[in-house]
Amino acid sequence: MSEPTSTELAIKLFGAFEAGDTQAARECCDENFKGNQNGGPWADRDTLLKFSAAVKKAVPDFRYEEITRSATETGFVEEHAVRGTLPDGSKLDLMLCVVAEVADGKITVMREYMDSRVGAKLFAALGG
């Protein structure tokens, strides 16, 4: 079986996050994965998966909309709106840009950029 293209990998990863499928998301990421948000501290794969599960729990109707995705020489870039309903009943509407590096059919590095003012509502819902 051939390795997925970088954009196929992006579709699988974000689909897994949306579905709350931690195992499928794990399969997309290299065991030495590292990622960060807005240039913050680096996180490993297990931290990413725990964060994703916490988001899905706090925002059960979490979804990606307005997706723009492009392959790059080293991986992919994806812009999307993260939408859903926060525990207090307010709407989450957060634009994100994700830059990822892919090697051997796995995501090795992922950098996520967002408006931290809007993201603060989500982080508050997560208890942080």
Side-chain angles (χ1 to χ4, degrees):
M1 187 164 92
S2 64
E3 293 177 355
T5 66
S6 62
T7 54
E8 290 170 337
L9 198 54
I11 292 166
K12 183 178 177 184
L13 177 71
F14 294 117
F17 288 159
E18 199 171 62
D21 187 344
T22 304
Q23 185 55 40
R26 177 182 299 281
E27 292 169 4
C28 294
C29 298
D30 186 78
E31 64 184 30
N32 295 314
F33 168 91
K34 63 180 185 171
N36 70 22
Q37 294 174 321
N38 288 353
W42 290 101
D44 62 16
R45 180 176 66 180
D46 287 341
T47 302
L48 170 71
L49 298 174
K50 287 176 189 170
F51 176 77
S52 173
V55 169
K56 185 66 177 173
K57 183 176 180 183
V59 186
D61 64 343
F62 166 87
R63 63 196 178 279
Y64 298 101
E65 296 179 348
E66 299 178 33
I67 300 164
T68 302
R69 179 184 307 117
S70 300
T72 66
E73 287 184 27
T74 58
F76 65 86
V77 172
E78 179 166 315
E79 291 177 276
H80 50 240
V82 174
R83 298 212 168 104
T85 308
L86 293 164
D88 67 3
S90 66
K91 297 296 179 188
L92 174 64
D93 189 0
L94 176 62
M95 290 301 298
L96 292 166
C97 180
V98 177
V99 180
E101 296 175 27
V102 174
D104 301 322
K106 302 281 185 179
I107 299 168
T108 57
V109 177
M110 194 162 70
R111 296 178 304 278
E112 182 178 74
Y113 302 96
M114 73 183 94
D115 179 339
S116 56
R117 291 173 300 141
V118 177
K121 290 172 58 176
L122 174 60
F123 292 117
L126 298 175

